[in-house]
Amino acid sequence: MSKQWYQRRVRGNVCALYCGKTSGFEVVHGVLDRLMMALNEKDYSIQQSGDPMFFSGRGADVILGSKKIGHLGILHPEVLEKFEISLPCSVLEINLEPLI
């Protein structure tokens, strides 16, 4: 019998969420910049994303070298509505494994 059914892969992701009167995109972008500075990582960029989780034109992928390691953006109003959140929110999620 294979033991594969219970094996898991643990990923080292980090997330940040800002929710307030304004969307706070600059806040989560600042968190990303500070995290990358703390890890002494300079070879990253953000590129606009078409992910429907984000407000149109307000989402981006986090790229390290040529690999996507995460995303950030202003959550789409329909996403907020599904979670009964009435204020605008921005979110950041990145996989730390390529960085450590």
Side-chain angles (χ1 to χ4, degrees):
M1 177 184 260
S2 172
K3 295 181 182 182
Q4 197 171 22
W5 64 271
Y6 69 84
Q7 293 176 345
R8 291 186 181 181
R9 182 167 178 353
V10 177
R11 291 184 56 181
N13 284 11
V14 66
C15 299
L17 172 76
Y18 178 89
C19 192
K21 291 181 182 180
T22 63
S23 65
F25 179 81
E26 67 283 354
V27 175
V28 295
H29 189 221
V31 170
L32 172 65
D33 288 342
R34 293 286 283 171
L35 180 61
M36 293 301 199
M37 186 171 31
L39 294 170
N40 201 27
E41 184 56 62
K42 297 178 176 116
D43 187 29
Y44 77 97
S45 62
I46 60 171
Q47 297 176 357
Q48 190 167 353
S49 165
D51 191 323
M53 170 174 63
F54 299 118
F55 201 84
S56 180
R58 305 289 184 186
D61 294 329
V62 180
I63 308 296
L64 180 65
S66 61
K67 181 179 177 185
K68 177 183 171 183
I69 62 166
H71 49 239
L72 74 156
I74 301 171
L75 291 174
H76 194 280
E78 289 178 5
V79 174
L80 297 173
E81 185 179 305
K82 289 183 192 271
F83 290 97
E84 299 179 1
I85 299 172
S86 60
L87 296 171
C89 298
S90 288
V91 66
L92 161 68
E93 180 182 20
I94 61 169
N95 180 356
L96 291 177
E97 287 183 14
L99 298 165
I100 50 177

